[in-house]
Amino acid sequence: MTTVNDKLVGTTYDGRYRIEKRIGQGGMANVYLAEDETLGRRVAIKVLHQRYAEDSQFVERFLREASAAAKLNHPNIVQVYDRGHSADTYYIAMEYVDGMTLKDLVRRRGGLTEQEVLAYGRQALHALRFAHRNGIVHRDVKPHNMMVDTDGRLKIADFGIARAAADADSGLTEAGSIVGTAQYLSPEQAQGHDVAASSDLYSLGVVMFEMATGRVPFDGESPVNVALKHVKDPVPHPRTINRDVTPAIESIILKAMEKDPARRYSTADEMLADLDRAREGSQTQAMTQVLGGIPAGAATTQVSPMVPAMPPASSRRYETPVAPEPAWPDSGWDEPGDGGKNVWRWLLPLLIVLILAAAAAYFLLRSTGEPVPDVVGQTQAAATRVIVAEGFRVGQVDLQPSDSVDKGIVIEQAPNGGDDLEVGGEVDLVVSSGPDTIPIPDVKGKARGVAINELRDAGFKPAVGEAETSETVKPGFVIRQNPTGEAAEGTTVTIILSSGPEAERVPSVIGQPFDEAKALLEGDDYRLIVERKDVPSNQPAGTVVKQTPPANSELEPGDTIVLEVASGENVVPNVVGAGIDDAEDELQKAGFSTERVAEATEDQAKIGVVLSTDPDSGATRELGQTVTITYGEATGDSEPEPVPPVEG
């Protein structure tokens, strides 16, 4: 999502990251796509909102995200590269994942296939298993925090409220406070209790429920209402929403979402094993648990495969289940021997007559109407919602100028609030159109003083904005004004004055040999003082890679400009934990040759993943030097986990 008015877009942030566009926005921070001009790679920059930069709790949480994620080097976890402080706030530089969130994928598709539910569930569990083994509980597992790249690889991000087990008493959150997102909260989180790895598994169960059915299990009018449902309400069976969900997948979801943590999967490994059984078509541990005779009522949520068999799926993927017809008690009409049938033959018509008479009396004696809601003072949209909700219709809507009532607010209604009106009747509204408007003088091209006097004489409040350069309008004269046309008397009209032609600006010399750049900037056109600073870079030695101040800055003769020049060496980037192909590409982009060395392993999480490099990451070496990459290779029959394709 690119925001044209975002002041960071197009700038070089913290002297290193060239901001290309904003790609995300949240309550705490904005996320930008940027080019790391030092290492020559695309990164995601998360910048804390300035209003939180002076709040120690927010800053601590924000920096804790970087610290927590930096400890977790895993293919299914978004890697954090750097953190820092710039422009009076804090930021984190992290791996950029080219793709979409799992939430967006589910929204687009309306639910995923069984193969995808299994594949994405397994990848998420690999990430959570790695975090849990390192003592980190995520605490905000949700599809919004899961990125799916163009190859179908899932990566978990946003460890902003994660906490290490060793920090349980650090005071980073108050006892009894609730952290997380309501639709994905575990019951213990909803009640403000301590959380553990099983809390993350509950949240992942909710995510798998949403992947399988296209919707979350609990929703409501407010986060508190949703949280209470997690604590008290039984979990809906996914197969009653989507008949294509298999009993195996359903049993895994319901076991993960047990209210009692002791009845859930105890570890990510245990849940992974059940997913593998489901993938192989075997009976899952969750199904065995129920068939083994665990007493009903042992927990609020029962993991049960005993959902009534569903008919074959129709062409429509999801259908609302049809409630079974009630079993009416036997009337005894056909019971022989007591004359009951003859009694009912004359009693039934009498009952029908009595019912019709009661209905007629109700309609004759009831009120002739219902009270009309009072909507004066509400916006037109809000008033319409209230009127319709009460069973009436909005009739004629008239606009009326008003100096005292804001535009769009209901001034009058007919009938008045409290008056009776038959259900379905019309309620007419009179809505304020705001103050009467008058023409605004056109002052473009006029001198500052003349423009201000004309606006003031016409009844407006003149204001002068920041001057702009102009090749056609003389300095001190109006370039444009805002607003134009008509406005209410007393409205502020801003004029923009010309500051004259644009001053000479310093050109970009990035990519030029240092000697040529120095000669240009020290020449008669600019007469600047040039300082040289050699830095690591993947560019050829002697090439300018950065200039400070940047291009297009207005400098006076005698000002100093610093040119950062490629030294012929570069820093070995950190590729440990990345896929072997991606690691090789990144090292080659950094200017190094590469050599692969395989190391046998039985750990599925390490197959095809970089285990180490020689030289180590962070070392400075000459361009062209060979970096040896040691990566995991399967032993025996082990094969890497296949990743399903992602549609659309």
Side-chain angles (χ1 to χ4, degrees):
M1 177 179 62
T2 304
T3 304
V4 176
N5 295 327
D6 195 313
K7 64 181 181 180
L8 288 184
V9 175
T11 67
T12 300
Y13 190 69
D14 199 20
R16 174 173 176 175
Y17 302 105
R18 185 69 180 175
I19 305 294
E20 295 183 6
K21 62 180 179 179
R22 190 166 74 190
I23 56 177
Q25 183 174 5
M28 270 185 65
N30 289 334
V31 182
Y32 299 88
L33 173 61
E35 179 78 14
D36 183 343
E37 295 184 336
T38 299
L39 297 180
R41 64 183 176 190
R42 301 182 100 188
V43 297
I45 303 291
K46 177 180 280 192
V47 181
L48 183 67
H49 291 322
Q50 284 195 338
R51 62 179 177 275
Y52 298 133
E54 297 179 0
D55 188 315
S56 59
Q57 276 194 320
F58 276 99
V59 172
E60 191 167 11
R61 169 179 165 180
F62 189 73
L63 297 181
R64 188 166 72 252
E65 173 180 353
S67 299
K71 299 175 185 176
L72 305 176
N73 196 342
H74 188 275
N76 295 116
I77 296 177
V78 174
Q79 186 176 359
V80 169
Y81 298 136
D82 189 18
R83 72 179 190 181
H85 180 270
S86 180
D88 298 324
T89 190
Y90 297 84
Y91 72 90
I92 301 171
M94 66 187 77
E95 175 186 4
Y96 170 63
V97 181
D98 186 11
M100 68 176 70
T101 67
L102 183 60
K103 183 71 174 181
D104 289 338
L105 181 61
V106 173
R107 282 173 177 162
R108 178 178 294 184
R109 300 266 301 283
L112 306 183
T113 65
E114 178 185 358
Q115 182 188 19
E116 290 169 321
V117 173
L118 288 168
Y120 292 137
R122 295 187 81 260
Q123 293 184 64
L125 281 166
H126 279 298
L128 292 176
R129 177 178 65 179
F130 187 80
H132 295 165
R133 287 178 177 178
N134 283 273
I136 299 293
V137 179
H138 190 288
R139 305 208 302 172
D140 196 19
V141 174
K142 58 185 178 182
H144 314 66
N145 292 336
M146 298 179 179
M147 297 297 300
V148 179
D149 66 18
T150 53
D151 294 326
R153 184 186 295 274
L154 180 142
K155 291 176 178 281
I156 297 182
D158 200 352
F159 282 75
I161 59 176
R163 287 176 67 186
D167 293 336
D169 298 320
S170 64
L172 294 176
T173 57
E174 295 181 19
S177 63
I178 298 176
V179 290
T181 303
Q183 281 82 359
Y184 306 90
L185 280 178
S186 66
E188 57 270 24
Q189 283 177 282
Q191 297 174 86
H193 296 164
D194 291 338
V195 300
S198 60
S199 305
D200 283 349
L201 300 184
Y202 180 96
S203 298
L204 180 58
V206 180
V207 174
M208 291 181 63
F209 186 106
E210 187 174 2
M211 284 195 285
T213 66
R215 76 184 202 194
V216 292
F218 300 119
D219 211 342
E221 298 176 353
S222 69
V224 173
N225 179 260
V226 176
L228 287 175
K229 290 183 179 180
H230 279 287
V231 175
K232 297 181 178 180
D233 290 5
V235 179
H237 286 263
R239 292 168 66 203
T240 63
I241 302 169
N242 175 14
R243 63 184 61 195
D244 293 335
V245 177
T246 63
I249 295 295
E250 180 177 73
S251 68
I252 293 171
I253 292 171
L254 294 178
K255 181 175 175 62
M257 291 185 64
E258 285 280 4
K259 308 291 186 190
D260 182 358
R263 290 175 53 80
R264 295 179 206 148
Y265 294 103
S266 58
T267 65
D269 279 316
E270 188 178 332
M271 191 170 174
L272 263 172
D274 246 4
L275 284 177
D276 287 338
R277 294 185 188 100
R279 186 174 57 170
E280 295 164 2
S282 305
Q283 189 176 57
T284 65
Q285 180 193 33
M287 297 171 70
T288 305
Q289 173 178 312
V290 175
L291 296 175
I294 292 179
T300 306
T301 303
Q302 292 299 311
V303 182
S304 172
M306 300 174 66
V307 178
M310 304 299 289
S314 66
S315 59
R316 188 175 66 182
R317 179 181 174 105
Y318 305 117
E319 295 186 3
T320 303
V322 179
E325 294 185 4
W328 297 107
D330 187 356
S331 66
W333 285 16
D334 296 325
E335 193 70 30
D338 60 358
K341 184 181 296 186
N342 293 329
V343 173
W344 280 104
R345 282 177 179 169
W346 63 264
L347 185 58
L348 182 61
L350 178 61
L351 288 174
I352 294 174
V353 170
L354 291 174
I355 291 171
L356 292 175
Y362 167 76
F363 284 107
L364 289 172
L365 297 175
R366 70 173 182 166
S367 170
T368 56
E370 295 291 336
V372 174
D374 185 355
V375 295
V376 172
Q378 299 185 32
T379 64
Q380 181 180 345
T384 300
R385 288 194 296 269
V386 171
I387 291 169
V388 173
E390 294 292 334
F392 304 106
R393 293 182 298 144
V394 175
Q396 182 174 337
V397 178
D398 294 326
L399 297 179
Q400 177 177 305
S402 173
D403 293 328
S404 58
V405 180
D406 291 340
K407 182 178 180 180
I409 302 298
V410 177
I411 302 174
E412 299 175 8
Q413 67 179 87
N416 294 323
D419 292 350
D420 282 346
L421 179 66
E422 63 181 7
V423 174
E426 293 186 347
V427 179
D428 296 333
L429 302 176
V430 177
V431 179
S432 169
S433 61
D436 279 334
T437 59
I438 56 177
I440 303 173
D442 183 358
V443 295
K444 293 190 296 293
K446 297 184 179 181
R448 180 181 186 277
V450 173
I452 289 175
N453 288 334
E454 285 191 12
L455 291 170
R456 187 177 290 124
D457 291 344
F460 298 98
K461 295 178 181 178
V464 180
E466 185 176 352
E468 297 179 0
T469 60
S470 173
E471 300 294 332
T472 58
V473 180
K474 294 187 294 184
F477 284 69
V478 178
I479 299 176
R480 65 178 183 277
Q481 65 187 77
N482 185 42
T484 59
E486 293 188 353
E489 186 175 358
T491 299
T492 298
V493 179
T494 302
I495 59 174
I496 304 300
L497 302 176
S498 168
S499 61
E502 185 174 6
E504 192 71 31
R505 295 180 182 270
V506 175
S508 173
V509 294
I510 294 175
Q512 297 184 22
F514 171 75
D515 292 339
E516 294 180 9
K518 184 174 185 293
L520 172 65
L521 297 174
E522 289 182 344
D524 292 338
D525 289 340
Y526 303 103
R527 291 176 289 170
L528 301 175
I529 298 174
V530 177
E531 292 185 1
R532 173 172 178 157
K533 179 181 178 182
D534 289 340
V535 296
S537 172
N538 63 351
Q539 299 300 309
T543 302
V544 177
V545 296
K546 183 179 179 181
Q547 63 187 75
T548 307
N552 295 321
S553 298
E554 294 184 10
L555 297 181
E556 300 291 336
D559 287 347
T560 298
I561 185 169
V562 178
L563 301 183
E564 295 185 15
V565 182
S567 63
E569 297 179 331
N570 201 1
V571 176
V572 177
N574 182 10
V575 295
V576 174
I580 179 62
D581 293 335
D582 292 341
E584 193 168 57
D585 289 344
E586 186 167 350
L587 288 166
Q588 290 174 359
K589 287 179 182 178
F592 301 106
S593 299
T594 57
E595 179 179 346
R596 299 186 181 190
V597 175
E599 180 177 298
T601 179
E602 295 181 357
D603 189 341
Q604 290 287 330
K606 294 182 179 180
I607 295 174
V609 175
V610 176
L611 306 178
S612 63
T613 61
D614 184 21
D616 292 336
S617 61
T620 302
R621 294 292 186 271
E622 292 183 3
L623 300 180
Q625 181 171 331
T626 298
V627 176
T628 302
I629 309 171
T630 301
Y631 67 98
E633 184 175 67
T635 60
D637 298 329
S638 299
E639 295 182 359
E641 171 68 21
V643 179
V646 177
E647 301 178 11

